[in-house]
Amino acid sequence: GNSVTQMEGPVTLSEEAFLTINCTYTATGYPSLFWYVQYPGEGLQLLLKATKADDKGSNKGFEATYRKETTSFHLEKGSVQVSDSAVYFCALGFRRDDKIIFGKGTRLHILP
Amino acid sequence: NAGVTQTPKFQVLKTGQSMTLQCAQDMNHNSMYWYRQDPGMGLRLIYYSASEGTTDKGEVPNGYNVSRLNKREFSLRLESAAPSQTSVYFCASRIITGNTIYFGEGSWLTVV
């Protein structure tokens, strides 16, 4: 079946550090891939997405590249800020199917 | 710009009581979803509706019922609440061809 696996948290970094949150997927076919972010007390909101292999999604300094050969979609940011503290969810979905499958989320703490 | 609106935001129920979580979207989306979020479990799909008049079970439907009242509204009902249903519930919607899913702000439910 289709699934998403992401690194367990929490991840704690100092401000201005480099961030990587790993995400790998298992899927039949060619899904679209997403990163969602959840700030404390809020719902999830789309951070970035990629719809086909080798596409790079980017937003707010975050980037992720759709790697079909390694079935991965790792989230990166060159210099994190305290305001980036949140829970990050990797997800996949297909146009043919109404379900979006989420990973379990990775909590990120950024220390000033 | 309302997006996805869900009510109530907080609710405390006694075991055995019933209640309905309401959700409405103003984006003319076809698909609507109910998820629950629990620590360490990520997001799990309860029910979804691909279009007005249709509903389908997700990963964890037991103990819940849903109604797609019209294109805008999708309600989630707990007929006899149990402590295991203590969770944060999220309603979401998407344009069927767009693949991006939009979330409400969540409903915090405690069953005592």
Side-chain angles (χ1 to χ4, degrees), chain A residues 85-102:
Chain A
S85 298
V87 182
Y88 292 81
F89 291 89
C90 187
L92 67 82
F94 294 90
R95 286 183 181 272
R96 65 172 188 267
D97 186 320
D98 278 296
K99 297 178 183 176
I100 304 285
I101 296 169
F102 288 87

Side-chain angles (χ1 to χ4, degrees), chain A residues 8-48:
Chain A
E8 290 192 21
V11 174
T12 302
L13 296 172
S14 297
E15 203 166 23
E16 299 183 1
F18 184 87
L19 169 71
T20 300
I21 300 178
N22 290 336
C23 171
T24 57
Y25 67 91
T26 301
T28 51
Y30 302 99
S32 295
L33 300 174
F34 308 87
W35 277 102
Y36 280 83
V37 59
Q38 183 181 31
Y39 298 103
E42 298 183 10
L44 282 73
Q45 54 187 278
L46 179 67
L47 180 60
L48 54 83

Side-chain angles (χ1 to χ4, degrees), chain A residues 32 34 36 38 41-46 49 87 89 93-95 97-105, chain B residues 9 31 33 35 37 40-43 45 48 50 57 90 94 96-101 103-105 108:
Chain A
S32 295
F34 308 87
Y36 280 83
Q38 183 181 31
E42 298 183 10
L44 282 73
Q45 54 187 278
L46 179 67
K49 69 176 182 180
V87 182
F89 291 89
F94 294 90
R95 286 183 181 272
D97 186 320
D98 278 296
K99 297 178 183 176
I100 304 285
I101 296 169
F102 288 87
K104 292 187 176 182
Chain B
K9 195 168 179 68
S31 301
Y33 308 81
Y35 287 90
Q37 184 180 25
M41 301 296 290
L43 283 166
L45 182 64
Y48 68 102
K57 294 179 180 179
F90 288 97
R94 71 168 182 161
I96 195 167
T97 58
N99 252 340
T100 300
I101 190 167
F103 285 84
E105 294 187 342
W108 275 253

Side-chain angles (χ1 to χ4, degrees), chain B residues 37-106:
Chain B
Q37 184 180 25
D38 302 291
M41 301 296 290
L43 283 166
R44 293 183 292 171
L45 182 64
I46 305 171
Y47 271 93
Y48 68 102
S49 170
S51 61
E52 184 179 352
T54 68
T55 60
D56 287 284
K57 294 179 180 179
E59 188 182 351
V60 288
N62 292 345
Y64 304 96
N65 286 303
V66 290
S67 295
R68 184 73 183 266
L69 304 169
N70 47 55
K71 192 171 185 179
R72 290 186 65 249
E73 298 173 289
F74 188 41
S75 62
L76 179 71
R77 182 161 178 84
L78 286 70
E79 291 291 352
S80 179
S84 60
Q85 294 178 304
T86 293
S87 188
V88 183
Y89 291 85
F90 288 97
C91 180
S93 71
R94 71 168 182 161
I95 298 173
I96 195 167
T97 58
N99 252 340
T100 300
I101 190 167
Y102 295 88
F103 285 84
E105 294 187 342

